Amino acid sequence: MKQREFTEFYRSDQAACLRAVLVSVGDRQLAEDLVAEAFTRAWTSWHKVSRHPAPRAWIVRTALNVRVSRWRRQRREVAWDGTHEVEDVAAADSGLDPALLTALRRLPRRQREVLACRVFLDLDTAGTATVLGIAPGTVTAHLSRAVASLRAHLVDEEQLEVGP
């Protein structure tokens, strides 16, 4: 029974979780690794995760926490020069428009996380706040800023393409 429940959860929610993490990290291979790790952890704690009010959000939050842990570990091992190159992600792989993906990558981490929870996981403000460990007002502020930044960036891109 436990295995069947988890298998159904994985099959129905893996793609949505991957999209949410991909929007946040901007690198498809890294996102796939993080989501796989999160699902592995979910399997080992399925009794707890299955009762969570938002299991998909648990997966995404765990994946993002794994990313932070990896980054901290790597930072101790190798000096970081302050630059971060993000691998290009083909629009076909992510299902997102390349201009939108570029704009998403430019957002601050917390704004990307809020967008991932609100848009890709369809969580409400309270659920997003719980998952990210921030106040509901902070979720609203980050979402508002992110949407304004995306709108400005995409309008600028469109004007460049059309020309004067």
Side-chain angles (χ1 to χ4, degrees), residues 17-57:
C17 293
L18 179 60
R19 278 192 306 275
V21 173
L22 178 59
V23 165
S24 186
V25 301
D27 176 334
R28 184 161 184 88
Q29 184 61 49
L30 176 60
E32 288 174 352
D33 291 348
L34 295 172
V35 169
E37 176 70 25
F39 271 102
T40 300
R41 291 180 183 195
W43 169 248
T44 60
S45 300
W46 185 241
H47 64 282
K48 178 178 93 174
V49 176
S50 65
R51 284 181 248 152
H52 191 278
R56 287 191 310 179

Side-chain angles (χ1 to χ4, degrees), residues 9-22 28 35 39 56 59-60 93-94 120-121:
F9 169 66
Y10 178 82
R11 285 183 180 150
S12 66
D13 295 317
Q14 189 271 345
C17 293
L18 179 60
R19 278 192 306 275
V21 173
L22 178 59
R28 184 161 184 88
V35 169
F39 271 102
R56 287 191 310 179
I59 294 290
V60 171
D93 287 346
S94 66
F120 292 96
L121 294 180

Side-chain angles (χ1 to χ4, degrees), residues 52 54 56-58 60-62 65 110 117 121 123 125-134:
H52 191 278
R56 287 191 310 179
W58 187 96
V60 171
R61 181 75 255 160
T62 299
N65 286 344
R110 185 60 82 183
C117 289
L121 294 180
L123 295 177
T125 300
T128 301
T130 300
V131 167
L132 298 178
I134 57 178

Side-chain angles (χ1 to χ4, degrees), residues 138-153:
T138 305
V139 169
T140 304
H142 282 303
L143 182 61
S144 175
R145 289 181 193 129
V147 169
S149 293
L150 289 174
R151 185 175 293 128
H153 177 76

Side-chain angles (χ1 to χ4, degrees), residues 111-130:
Q111 288 179 16
R112 287 192 315 266
E113 291 174 354
V114 167
L115 273 173
C117 289
R118 294 285 283 137
V119 175
F120 292 96
L121 294 180
D122 199 27
L123 295 177
D124 61 7
T125 300
T128 301
T130 300

